Amino acid sequence: MTLAACRNDERDQSQSTTSAQTYFTLDNNGEKIRWRGQKLLPGTRIDNLSNGEPGLVGRDFVVTSSALPYQQLTPQYTITQIAGDNYRLSATATLDMASEMARLKAMPELTLIELQIDYSPITELPQY
């Protein structure tokens, strides 16, 4: 499992010879990921455009915070302290992870936000 920090949400329009495809992208800590469809759900196949690897989106974020806003997070997540000011937020339901990333980034208490992306070989990736 590789964790990658997400940044800005951008929209890409790509044309194929047979039909138009809409792709959406996120900048994951300098590595752009791309997926089809408007929602980035757990289990969505992504392509890492920076290293050419495919992967699957997981249900977790890792965040860093010295004053974690528990009340704003507990309805959507199970929270586990990893070490020090680092926490794992495990989604309790299927969420649009791109929208959630934007929501989490708007919380000033969170200084780092990382989205779980599994880059295991596609034949070995888990089902979410």
Side-chain angles (χ1 to χ4, degrees):
M1 173 175 72
T2 301
L3 297 175
C6 290
R7 298 283 181 221
N8 298 326
D9 183 309
E10 302 169 359
R11 289 186 171 85
D12 259 342
Q13 297 288 331
S14 297
Q15 295 281 339
S16 71
T17 56
T18 57
S19 66
Q21 296 280 340
T22 301
Y23 290 93
F24 293 85
T25 62
L26 283 174
D27 180 6
N28 279 342
N29 198 22
E31 294 189 352
K32 187 180 271 191
I33 63 167
R34 176 180 75 174
W35 71 97
R36 285 187 214 161
Q38 290 187 332
K39 292 188 177 184
L40 183 61
L41 301 173
T44 299
R45 183 185 184 278
I46 61 94
D47 293 308
N48 183 316
L49 300 178
S50 300
N51 64 19
E53 293 185 31
L56 285 184
V57 173
R59 290 185 175 267
D60 297 343
F61 288 100
V62 172
V63 300
T64 300
S65 177
S66 60
L68 194 69
Y70 282 97
Q71 290 181 337
Q72 294 176 338
L73 298 171
T74 53
Q76 293 89 6
Y77 298 103
T78 300
I79 301 170
T80 306
Q81 186 173 14
I82 299 170
D85 290 342
N86 298 310
Y87 300 86
R88 174 172 285 113
L89 307 179
S90 299
T92 57
T94 301
L95 300 173
D96 178 352
M97 302 307 266
S99 294
E100 265 312 285
M101 175 62 76
R103 185 178 84 86
L104 294 172
K105 288 182 75 170
M107 294 180 182
E109 302 89 350
L110 304 180
T111 56
L112 174 73
I113 304 161
E114 299 181 26
L115 173 62
Q116 174 193 6
I117 304 285
D118 189 335
Y119 289 107
S120 300
I122 285 290
T123 57
E124 299 173 19
L125 287 172
Q127 298 297 313
Y128 291 92

